[in-house]
Structure formats: C-alpha cells, structure tokens
Coordinates of all heavy atoms in Angstrom, one line a residue:
V200 N 93.9 105.1 -8.7 CA 93.7 106.0 -7.6 C 92.7 105.6 -6.7 O 91.6 105.2 -7.1 CB 93.3 107.4 -8.2 CG1 93.1 108.4 -7.1 CG2 94.3 108.0 -9.2
L201 N 93.0 105.4 -5.4 CA 92.1 105.1 -4.3 C 91.6 106.4 -3.7 O 92.4 107.1 -3.0 CB 92.7 104.2 -3.3 CG 93.3 102.9 -3.8 CD1 93.9 102.1 -2.7 CD2 92.2 102.0 -4.6
F202 N 90.3 106.7 -3.8 CA 89.8 107.9 -3.3 C 89.1 107.7 -1.9 O 88.2 106.9 -1.8 CB 88.8 108.6 -4.2 CG 88.5 110.0 -3.9 CD1 89.3 111.0 -4.4 CD2 87.4 110.3 -3.1 CE1 88.9 112.3 -4.1 CE2 87.1 111.6 -2.7 CZ 87.9 112.6 -3.3
G203 N 89.6 108.3 -0.9 CA 89.1 108.2 0.5 C 90.1 107.5 1.3 O 90.0 106.2 1.5
S204 N 91.0 108.2 2.0 CA 92.1 107.6 2.7 C 91.6 106.9 4.0 O 92.2 105.8 4.4 CB 93.1 108.7 3.1 OG 92.5 109.7 3.9
A205 N 90.5 107.4 4.6 CA 90.0 106.7 5.8 C 89.5 105.3 5.4 O 89.7 104.3 6.3 CB 88.9 107.5 6.4
Y206 N 89.0 105.1 4.2 CA 88.4 103.8 3.8 C 89.6 102.9 3.4 O 89.6 101.7 3.8 CB 87.5 104.0 2.7 CG 86.6 102.7 2.4 CD1 85.5 102.4 3.1 CD2 87.0 101.9 1.4 CE1 84.8 101.3 2.8 CE2 86.3 100.7 1.1 CZ 85.2 100.4 1.8 OH 84.5 99.3 1.5
W207 N 90.5 103.4 2.6 CA 91.5 102.5 2.0 C 92.8 102.4 2.8 O 93.6 101.6 2.5 CB 91.8 103.1 0.6 CG 90.7 103.1 -0.4 CD1 90.0 104.1 -0.9 CD2 90.1 101.9 -0.9 NE1 89.0 103.7 -1.7 CE2 89.0 102.3 -1.8 CE3 90.3 100.6 -0.8 CZ2 88.2 101.5 -2.5 CZ3 89.5 99.7 -1.6 CH2 88.5 100.1 -2.4
G208 N 93.0 103.4 3.7 CA 94.2 103.3 4.5 C 94.6 102.0 5.1 O 95.7 101.5 5.0
G209 N 93.6 101.3 5.7 CA 93.9 100.0 6.4 C 94.3 98.9 5.4 O 95.2 98.2 5.7
L210 N 93.7 99.0 4.2 CA 94.1 98.0 3.2 C 95.5 98.2 2.7 O 96.3 97.3 2.6 CB 93.1 98.1 2.0 CG 93.5 97.2 0.8 CD1 93.5 95.8 1.1 CD2 92.6 97.6 -0.4
V211 N 95.8 99.5 2.5 CA 97.2 99.9 2.0 C 98.2 99.5 3.0 O 99.3 99.0 2.8 CB 97.3 101.3 1.6 CG1 98.7 101.7 1.2 CG2 96.3 101.6 0.4
D212 N 97.9 99.8 4.3 CA 98.8 99.4 5.4 C 99.1 97.9 5.4 O 100.2 97.5 5.6 CB 98.2 99.9 6.8 CG 98.3 101.4 6.9 OD1 99.0 102.1 6.2 OD2 97.6 101.9 7.8
W213 N 98.0 97.1 5.3 CA 98.1 95.7 5.4 C 99.0 95.2 4.1 O 99.8 94.3 4.3 CB 96.8 95.0 5.3 CG 96.9 93.5 5.3 CD1 97.0 92.7 6.4 CD2 96.8 92.6 4.2 NE1 97.1 91.4 6.1 CE2 97.0 91.4 4.7 CE3 96.7 92.8 2.8 CZ2 96.9 90.2 3.9 CZ3 96.6 91.7 2.0 CH2 96.9 90.4 2.5
L214 N 98.8 95.8 3.0 CA 99.6 95.4 1.8 C 101.1 95.7 2.1 O 102.0 94.9 1.7 CB 99.1 96.2 0.6 CG 97.7 95.8 0.0 CD1 97.4 96.8 -1.1 CD2 97.7 94.4 -0.4
R215 N 101.3 96.9 2.7 CA 102.7 97.3 2.9 C 103.4 96.5 4.1 O 104.5 96.0 4.0 CB 102.8 98.8 3.2 CG 104.2 99.3 3.5 CD 104.2 100.7 4.0 NE 103.6 101.7 3.0 CZ 102.4 102.2 3.1 NH1 101.6 102.0 4.2 NH2 101.9 103.0 2.2
D216 N 102.6 96.3 5.2 CA 103.1 95.8 6.5 C 103.1 94.3 6.5 O 103.8 93.7 7.4 CB 102.5 96.5 7.7 CG 102.7 98.0 7.7 OD1 103.7 98.5 7.1 OD2 101.8 98.7 8.3
T217 N 102.2 93.7 5.8 CA 102.0 92.3 5.9 C 102.4 91.6 4.5 O 103.3 90.8 4.5 CB 100.6 91.9 6.2 OG1 100.2 92.5 7.5 CG2 100.4 90.4 6.3
M218 N 101.8 92.0 3.4 CA 102.0 91.3 2.2 C 103.4 91.6 1.7 O 104.2 90.6 1.3 CB 101.0 91.7 1.1 CG 101.0 90.9 -0.1 SD 99.7 91.3 -1.3 CE 98.3 90.5 -0.6
A219 N 103.8 92.8 1.7 CA 105.2 93.2 1.2 C 106.3 92.7 2.1 O 107.3 92.2 1.8 CB 105.3 94.7 1.0
V220 N 106.1 92.8 3.4 CA 107.0 92.4 4.4 C 107.2 90.9 4.3 O 108.4 90.3 4.5 CB 106.6 92.8 5.9 CG1 107.4 92.0 6.9 CG2 106.7 94.3 6.1
D221 N 106.2 90.1 4.0 CA 106.2 88.6 3.9 C 106.8 88.2 2.5 O 106.9 87.0 2.3 CB 104.9 88.1 4.1 CG 105.0 86.6 4.6 OD1 105.8 86.3 5.4 OD2 104.2 85.8 4.1
G222 N 107.1 89.2 1.7 CA 107.7 88.9 0.4 C 106.8 88.5 -0.7 O 107.2 88.0 -1.7
K223 N 105.4 88.6 -0.5 CA 104.5 88.2 -1.4 C 104.3 89.2 -2.6 O 103.8 88.9 -3.6 CB 103.1 87.9 -0.8 CG 103.1 86.9 0.3 CD 103.7 85.5 -0.2 CE 103.6 84.4 0.8 NZ 104.5 84.6 2.0
I224 N 104.7 90.4 -2.4 CA 104.7 91.4 -3.4 C 106.0 92.3 -3.2 O 106.6 92.2 -2.0 CB 103.5 92.4 -3.4 CG1 103.4 93.1 -2.0 CG2 102.2 91.7 -3.7 CD1 102.3 94.2 -2.0
G225 N 106.5 93.0 -4.2 CA 107.6 93.8 -4.1 C 107.4 95.2 -3.5 O 106.2 95.6 -3.6
P226 N 108.4 95.8 -3.0 CA 108.1 97.2 -2.4 C 107.6 98.2 -3.4 O 106.8 99.0 -3.1 CB 109.6 97.6 -2.0 CG 110.3 96.3 -1.7 CD 109.7 95.4 -2.8
D227 N 108.0 98.0 -4.7 CA 107.5 98.9 -5.8 C 106.1 98.7 -6.1 O 105.4 99.6 -6.6 CB 108.4 98.8 -7.0 CG 109.8 99.2 -6.8 OD1 110.1 100.0 -5.8 OD2 110.7 98.8 -7.6
D228 N 105.5 97.5 -5.7 CA 104.1 97.3 -6.1 C 103.2 98.2 -5.4 O 102.1 98.5 -5.9 CB 103.8 95.8 -5.8 CG 104.5 94.9 -6.8 OD1 104.9 95.3 -7.9 OD2 104.7 93.7 -6.3
I229 N 103.5 98.6 -4.2 CA 102.7 99.5 -3.4 C 102.6 100.8 -4.1 O 101.6 101.5 -4.0 CB 103.3 99.7 -1.9 CG1 103.4 98.3 -1.2 CG2 102.4 100.6 -1.1 CD1 102.1 97.7 -1.0
G230 N 103.7 101.2 -4.8 CA 103.7 102.5 -5.5 C 102.7 102.5 -6.7 O 102.4 103.6 -7.2
M231 N 102.1 101.4 -7.1 CA 101.0 101.5 -8.1 C 99.8 102.1 -7.6 O 98.9 102.6 -8.4 CB 100.7 100.0 -8.6 CG 101.9 99.3 -9.3 SD 101.5 97.8 -10.1 CE 101.0 96.8 -8.7
L232 N 99.6 102.2 -6.3 CA 98.4 102.8 -5.7 C 98.6 104.2 -5.2 O 99.6 104.6 -4.6 CB 97.9 102.0 -4.5 CG 97.4 100.6 -4.8 CD1 97.3 99.8 -3.4 CD2 96.1 100.6 -5.5
H233 N 97.6 105.1 -5.6 CA 97.7 106.5 -5.2 C 96.5 106.8 -4.4 O 95.4 106.7 -4.9 CB 97.7 107.4 -6.4 CG 98.9 107.0 -7.4 ND1 100.2 107.2 -7.3 CD2 98.7 106.4 -8.6 CE1 100.8 106.8 -8.3 NE2 100.0 106.2 -9.1
V234 N 96.7 107.1 -3.1 CA 95.6 107.4 -2.2 C 95.4 108.9 -2.0 O 96.5 109.6 -1.7 CB 95.8 106.7 -0.8 CG1 94.7 106.9 0.1 CG2 96.1 105.2 -1.0
T235 N 94.2 109.3 -2.1 CA 94.0 110.7 -1.9 C 92.6 111.0 -1.5 O 91.7 110.2 -1.6 CB 94.3 111.5 -3.2 OG1 94.1 112.9 -3.0 CG2 93.3 111.0 -4.3
D236 N 92.4 112.2 -0.9 CA 91.1 112.7 -0.6 C 90.7 114.0 -1.4 O 89.7 114.6 -1.1 CB 91.0 113.0 1.0 CG 91.2 111.9 1.8 OD1 90.4 110.9 1.7 OD2 92.1 111.8 2.6
D237 N 91.5 114.3 -2.3 CA 91.4 115.5 -3.0 C 91.1 115.3 -4.5 O 91.8 114.5 -5.2 CB 92.7 116.3 -3.0 CG 92.6 117.7 -3.7 OD1 92.1 118.7 -3.0 OD2 93.1 117.8 -4.8
V238 N 90.0 115.9 -4.9 CA 89.5 115.6 -6.3 C 90.5 116.1 -7.3 O 90.9 115.3 -8.3 CB 88.2 116.4 -6.6 CG1 87.8 116.3 -8.0 CG2 87.1 115.8 -5.7
Q239 N 91.1 117.3 -7.1 CA 92.1 117.7 -8.1 C 93.3 116.8 -8.2 O 93.9 116.6 -9.3 CB 92.5 119.2 -7.8 CG 91.4 120.2 -8.0 CD 90.9 120.3 -9.4 OE1 91.6 120.1 -10.4 NE2 89.6 120.6 -9.6
E240 N 93.7 116.4 -7.0 CA 94.9 115.4 -7.0 C 94.6 114.1 -7.7 O 95.4 113.6 -8.6 CB 95.4 115.1 -5.6 CG 96.6 114.3 -5.5 CD 97.0 114.0 -4.1 OE1 96.5 114.5 -3.2 OE2 97.9 113.1 -4.0

C-alpha cells in the first residue's frame, strides 16, 4: 500500500505510462500497488 497519492502518483504514472508501455513490466504488475489517502482503506 502506497499512502499519499500526491506523493506516489507521479511514480505510479511513470510505471504505467513508461515502464509498462515499453514492455519492461506487465500490465498486471501495476496492480500490485494500492494507492490511497484513507487510513481505513
């Protein structure tokens, strides 16, 4: 779980839009990360 979407959002976007698009990781790999700003979530 990545807590703090403002901090982690850019990294997750890069993983999805650059690393995954370039074929260095699979689309499902992004799903291992859960980004939230809510403690209960």
Side-chain angles (χ1 to χ4, degrees):
V200 179
L201 301 181
F202 194 88
S204 59
Y206 190 87
W207 297 111
L210 173 63
V211 176
D212 288 345
W213 181 81
L214 293 174
R215 180 188 300 108
D216 300 336
T217 301
M218 191 177 282
V220 167
D221 205 40
K223 301 301 186 292
I224 59 174
D227 294 341
D228 292 335
I229 302 296
M231 295 187 296
L232 292 169
H233 308 287
V234 183
T235 183
D236 296 300
D237 183 80
V238 169
Q239 292 299 329
E240 183 180 352

